[in-house]
Amino acid sequence: MKLVIITSCVAGVAHSEMCAAALKKEAIARGHSVRVEMQGGSNLSDMLPKEICQSADVILIAYAIAVAKKERFEGKPVVKVPIDQAIRHIKQVMDKAEEVYEQTIGKDIES
């Protein structure tokens, strides 16, 4: 599965970085291709372009604040989870992303 992980917290530092690292590690351990973007405060320097987001099978958003530029995900399956829950339940969050992927294989996704 091609997975895009977006994390967002108020400052864009501790929680975003910790959650992004843990989700990425779990995804790679399961054999998935991963791209990561962290948002928060004024940090949008690593924003993934629309082309990368559109090439993903699933968008996984772990949030504490609203995610910027969500139009990049239009038409893609999105799994959203509060960042504090994602940090505590990494395996279950990744299970959910895989479940959504399995449900959408070969299906047209509507936005």
Side-chain angles (χ1 to χ4, degrees):
M1 165 173 65
K2 289 184 189 176
L3 182 63
V4 164
I5 297 170
I6 311 289
T7 60
S8 67
C9 70
V10 175
V13 185
H15 287 95
S16 280
E17 289 179 6
M18 182 171 43
C19 187
L23 286 169
K24 182 177 181 179
K25 181 179 178 181
E26 182 66 23
I28 289 171
R30 295 181 185 210
H32 303 307
S33 169
V34 183
R35 297 296 299 261
V36 176
E37 172 182 307
M38 293 180 288
Q39 295 186 13
S42 61
N43 179 22
L44 291 176
S45 60
D46 64 349
M47 183 172 290
L48 297 172
K50 182 177 182 175
E51 296 77 28
I52 289 176
C53 296
Q54 286 298 307
S55 71
D57 296 312
V58 175
I59 309 291
L60 174 56
I61 299 174
Y63 66 93
I65 60 171
V67 172
K69 309 278 184 181
K70 291 186 285 191
E71 65 274 4
R72 297 173 292 156
F73 318 138
E74 187 175 326
K76 304 307 293 184
V78 176
V79 174
K80 291 175 64 175
V81 62
I83 200 166
D84 59 330
Q85 290 181 23
I87 291 168
R88 286 190 296 244
H89 306 288
I90 295 293
K91 291 183 186 304
Q92 291 89 340
V93 170
M94 196 57 58
D95 289 345
K96 179 64 176 171
E98 290 175 337
E99 178 183 315
V100 167
Y101 172 68
E102 292 296 325
Q103 291 172 353
T104 60
I105 292 175
K107 296 180 181 177
D108 291 333
I109 306 300
E110 295 182 20
S111 56

